[in-house]
Amino acid sequence: MSRRGDALWARIERPRQGNACNSAVMEGLETWLAAAVAEEGLKALVLTGSGGVFCAGADMKEGAALLGDEAAAEAYVRRGRDLVETLASAPLPTIAAVNGVALAGGFELVLAADFAVAARSARLGDGHVAHGVVPGWGSTARLPRLVGAREATLLLLTGETRSADEMLELGVLTAVADDDRLEAAVEDLVDRLATGPAAQRVLELTRNSTRASLDAALAAEWDALTAHLRDPALREGVTRFVDGRETES
């Protein structure tokens, strides 16, 4: 976590693990979000990754170890979900600086941010269903609101990734920048943001414009996920996914 001008940046630094969010990463991001309340003079919060990867979502290896304990597995997923919801309701505008691949929960972090600026080489997608997992951090609720139900269903059911330029055209991204200009582009966006009571009220209004229907969609997603966590077939699918990742690395 570092202060850069008027923004407080958080950088996930587990590139060899795809910057997956394990408990330590989630704790760090929770601290970053809490700091937004105490830090004076901020205009925005910025989340980025490292090593050419933005984030691959929850740490599947850590999560797979909890599948034998239903309560522990649900609590692990709930912690990540709560983190994403805290990002979505932060007291300041939030920006995802997508420096590389954003998959699964990493894609859901992008969807939850107020703005998303991506490096031109970045690829983004959900990918949960392709590995036999139901999304749990909001993609089934937020993606249709950005790209429409038909395109969202296609992205979710195929697990396909798309280029940054394609995601910009669909409406997932705010802007795309050349890789070596990503952070400069984000800093420029921060500089352009207004501050003060009117800006704060407008931020709340735009976020709340779809809040009622979003809450219902998020609740439905959570119900589907918790039912899926009780499905014996889930353990086999997650184990196969984790084993495949370890073989690749």
Side-chain angles (χ1 to χ4, degrees), residues 81-94:
R81 184 181 178 87
D82 288 347
L83 171 67
V84 174
E85 289 309 301
T86 303
L87 175 71
S89 59
L92 296 166
T94 55

Side-chain angles (χ1 to χ4, degrees), residues 39 68 96 166 173 215-216 224 229 234-235:
E39 192 91 11
E166 289 174 298
L173 299 176
D215 285 344
L229 287 173
L234 174 64
R235 178 189 294 273

Side-chain angles (χ1 to χ4, degrees), residues 221-232:
E221 181 185 80
W222 180 251
D223 289 345
L225 174 61
T226 52
H228 192 63
L229 287 173
R230 294 190 288 270
D231 186 341

Side-chain angles (χ1 to χ4, degrees), residues 88-89 200-215:
S89 59
Q200 186 62 41
R201 290 191 174 99
V202 168
L203 179 65
E204 292 170 1
L205 286 168
T206 55
R207 285 176 174 174
N208 291 338
S209 63
T210 60
R211 190 72 234 184
S213 59
L214 178 62
D215 285 344

Side-chain angles (χ1 to χ4, degrees), residues 61-123:
K61 188 172 184 178
E62 185 175 1
L66 301 173
L67 286 177
D69 184 334
E70 184 179 316
E74 184 173 322
Y76 180 69
V77 178
R78 168 64 77 177
R79 184 179 186 181
R81 184 181 178 87
D82 288 347
L83 171 67
V84 174
E85 289 309 301
T86 303
L87 175 71
S89 59
L92 296 166
T94 55
I95 304 171
V98 188
N99 62 299
V101 176
L103 297 173
F107 184 53
E108 290 172 301
L109 286 167
V110 174
L111 297 176
D114 294 304
F115 307 104
V117 182
R120 200 168 302 279
S121 66
R123 295 194 66 85

